[in-house]
Amino acid sequence: MNAIPPTPPEETAAERTARHLAMLRELAGIGMALARALGEQALAALAPPAPETPEPAPAPAPPSRTDPGLAFARVTRAVRQTIALEARIVADRDAPPRPRHPDGRPVRRPDRSADPRHATIRRVL
């Protein structure tokens, strides 16, 4: 079953952005659930063994092929990147449109060309 719905043919940019943001929120939620579980596993692996008790201990979890700390680090990095991407999409969506020439080229900011360091930088490079 495909979790990502197909793109409607006449989807507007705002609808596409909203759909992408919803997917990113879902990915971040799944990632956080994985990070919590892996964090608990990593902490349990570091904990000293419990003293012997007369009751039989529950069966240990099957050994993992990867280090729980490494898996936790990878998942948390993916969550951070997901959050950063979501923030970037929202910032781009909410930013005012950049001015453009009639041919579509972006208009240069006047403050950049007025910077006296530009001539020196161009000469050196």
Side-chain angles (χ1 to χ4, degrees), residues 17 25 27 38 65 67 91 103 113 116:
T17 299
R25 277 187 219 102
L27 283 173
L38 288 168
R65 290 186 181 185
D67 175 32
D103 63 358
S113 61

Side-chain angles (χ1 to χ4, degrees), residues 36-125:
R36 285 184 189 102
L38 288 168
E40 289 174 7
Q41 285 181 6
L43 291 174
L46 294 175
E52 301 259 345
T53 60
E55 301 175 10
S64 172
R65 290 186 181 185
T66 60
D67 175 32
L70 178 62
F72 175 76
R74 288 177 175 166
V75 169
T76 56
R77 182 174 187 269
V79 170
R80 289 191 311 272
Q81 288 181 325
T82 302
I83 292 169
L85 180 58
E86 183 179 4
R88 185 173 178 183
I89 289 173
V90 169
D92 288 348
R93 180 191 64 189
D94 296 342
R98 293 172 46 190
R100 297 199 169 269
H101 289 286
D103 63 358
R105 291 179 298 126
V107 174
R108 288 190 66 168
R109 296 182 197 161
D111 60 335
R112 286 187 179 175
S113 61
D115 191 341
R117 298 174 292 178
H118 278 203
T120 305
I121 292 170
R122 283 192 183 107
R123 185 173 28 100
V124 170
L125 295 176

